[in-house]
């Protein structure tokens, strides 16, 4: 049911509208932020089209939410934070919250807060509860590297924790063979995608 809820919230997002209206057309919809910089959208490149953006489908999203036991939806909190590397990061969170309310009737309690220290400290202490937030990744990463920093039980800060991710991360410790390491990283990406653990929104394009 939790996966259905996350999937409903994922496909209730009109990523193209965010790319067009907030990024002024200089953005591309994504679903896996770990694939940034790896050309996942470019034929023949690493992980090409392995984790495609799911179609925007509000009707199916409402159906999934009802199947998960929330026919009348629910309320939740969200942090709205501007970031030095992306001054529209806060606008993206507001847009997402509006789409959730419009398409799923999710009532969002938006809280303006600095990412550091407020949001970051809650991620470190694992006290973020039911808060959603947006974050703009300023560097190139892949699934294994990203999860070793913020998606595991022993990470300094955590966006989420999952025993399957923990197990895969442990299996990769000390692995120096490139192909084996890539296979583990791919499994981490597959699990993240299939369980809808996080949602990429838009990859900004630089001029």
């Amino acid at each position: 049911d939790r996966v259905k809820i996350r999937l409903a919230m994922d496909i209730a997002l009109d990523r193209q509208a965010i790319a067009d209206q907030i990024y002024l057309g200089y953005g591309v919809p994504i679903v896996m932020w770990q694939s940034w910089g790896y050309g996942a959208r470019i034929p023949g490149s690493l992980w090409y089209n392995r984790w495609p953006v799911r179609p925007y489908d509000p009707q199916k999203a409402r159906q999934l939410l009802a199947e998960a036991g929330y026919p009348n939806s629910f309320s939740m909190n969200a942090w709205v934070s501007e970031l030095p590397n992306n001054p529209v990061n806060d606008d993206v969170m507001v847009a997402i919250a509006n789409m959730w309310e419009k398409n799923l009737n999710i009532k969002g309690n938006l809280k303006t807060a600095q990412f550091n220290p407020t949001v970051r400290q809650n991620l470190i202490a694992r006290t973020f509860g039911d808060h959603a937030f947006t974050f703009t990744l300023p560097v190139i990463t892949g699934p294994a590297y990203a999860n070793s920093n913020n998606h595991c039980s022993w990470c300094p800060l955590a966006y989420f924790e999952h025993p399957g991710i923990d197990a895969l991360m442990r299996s990769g410790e000390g692995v120096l063979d490139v192909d084996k390491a890539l296979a583990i990283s791919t499994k981490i990406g597959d699990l993240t995608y299939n369980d809808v653990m996080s949602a990429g929104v838009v990859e900004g394009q630089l001029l």
Side-chain angles (χ1 to χ4, degrees):
D1 287 347
R2 290 184 178 182
V3 175
K4 284 186 176 181
I5 293 170
R6 294 195 294 268
L7 179 56
M9 296 173 76
D10 182 84
I11 63 175
L13 299 182
D14 188 348
R15 290 170 167 82
Q16 190 61 57
I18 293 175
D20 292 341
Q21 297 173 24
I22 296 180
Y23 285 84
L24 304 179
Y26 293 101
V28 177
I30 59 171
V31 72
M32 289 283 284
W33 63 267
Q34 293 96 330
S35 64
W36 281 26
Y38 284 80
R41 297 175 288 101
I42 303 173
S45 61
L46 188 61
W47 296 315
Y48 169 63
N49 208 30
R50 188 177 185 92
W51 307 304
V53 176
R54 301 178 182 92
Y56 172 54
D57 193 338
Q59 183 175 351
K60 183 178 179 181
R62 288 189 289 272
Q63 177 185 336
L64 287 168
L65 205 60
E67 291 175 359
Y70 292 91
N72 299 316
S73 199
F74 53 85
S75 60
M76 64 179 297
N77 296 301
W79 282 307
V80 179
S81 303
E82 185 177 304
L83 295 174
N85 62 303
N86 184 3
V88 300
N89 185 76
D90 52 346
D91 295 328
V92 173
M93 184 67 256
V94 172
I96 289 172
N98 288 338
M99 291 175 185
W100 284 340
E101 182 168 9
K102 174 185 176 182
N103 295 324
L104 297 175
N105 199 32
I106 294 175
K107 304 299 183 184
N109 176 27
L110 302 183
K111 304 176 182 179
T112 301
Q114 290 186 331
F115 186 83
N116 190 12
T118 305
V119 179
R120 182 179 175 85
Q121 184 56 44
N122 278 276
L123 297 176
I124 293 172
R126 271 62 166 181
T127 52
F128 45 81
D130 68 344
H131 285 73
F133 68 97
T134 49
F135 181 74
T136 303
L137 192 68
V139 295
I140 295 173
T141 70
Y145 178 83
N147 283 276
S148 69
N149 281 273
N150 46 40
H151 289 171
C152 59
S153 61
W154 61 88
C155 295
L157 58 84
Y159 299 161
F160 60 79
E161 296 179 5
H162 190 285
I165 296 293
D166 280 1
L168 286 168
M169 292 301 302
R170 292 296 189 195
S171 73
E173 291 180 350
V175 174
L176 300 178
D177 181 270
V178 174
D179 290 334
K180 290 181 179 179
L182 177 58
I184 293 170
S185 192
T186 300
K187 288 180 180 178
I188 291 171
D190 289 344
L191 180 56
T192 303
Y193 181 82
N194 294 330
D195 273 28
V196 202
M197 295 182 195
S198 63
V201 181
V202 171
E203 178 180 357
Q205 305 295 294
L206 299 179
L207 292 176

